[in-house]
Amino acid sequence: MFNLLKRKVNKKAQKQIETQINDLQLYLENNYKDLAIEARQEAIILIEGCYERGELDNKSYTKYKSILCEYSKKMENYNHQQFYSSSSH
């Protein structure tokens, strides 16, 4: 019974994380930089929280951290200074 309950919670947590990552991808594709930054931060908090509560196993945790690491690399230069400097020319 406990394993069944744990698996159900795990699926719910994974669905929340997948939705957050999909939102992040959508914001990046549409060049909504502020929303992408916010979505990435929310995904990090969600993944860490789910892992701490035991809702993610090590394999899933590592997979999601790797995905976010790739997004972080893509977003390295996302900041307001970039927007202002590009609009001043």
Side-chain angles (χ1 to χ4, degrees):
M1 177 78 172
F2 178 75
N3 287 338
L4 182 62
L5 181 61
K6 183 165 178 59
R7 227 177 291 137
K8 184 176 182 184
V9 172
N10 190 3
K11 293 285 186 195
K12 182 179 177 184
Q14 286 183 332
K15 184 173 175 96
Q16 288 177 318
I17 293 167
E18 297 278 340
T19 298
Q20 189 65 38
I21 290 173
N22 287 339
D23 286 349
L24 171 56
Q25 178 65 35
L26 179 69
Y27 296 145
L28 286 173
E29 288 172 357
N30 289 297
N31 206 28
Y32 298 145
K33 293 180 180 182
D34 287 340
L35 291 174
I37 291 167
E38 186 178 314
R40 186 181 62 86
Q41 189 61 34
E42 289 173 6
I44 291 168
I45 292 167
L46 181 61
I47 291 167
E48 293 298 331
C50 288
Y51 185 69
E52 288 174 10
R53 291 187 299 275
E55 297 173 353
L56 285 179
D57 59 10
N58 286 336
K59 182 179 177 183
S60 296
Y61 177 72
T62 302
K63 177 181 96 171
Y64 291 129
K65 291 291 282 186
S66 176
I67 291 169
L68 286 181
C69 183
E70 289 302 314
Y71 282 118
S72 294
K73 288 177 186 176
K74 291 179 185 178
M75 298 170 64
E76 276 181 352
N77 296 318
Y78 279 22
N79 60 47
H80 290 289
Q81 290 176 339
Q82 177 188 15
F83 301 138
Y84 295 132
S85 65
S86 65
S87 65
S88 64
H89 291 132

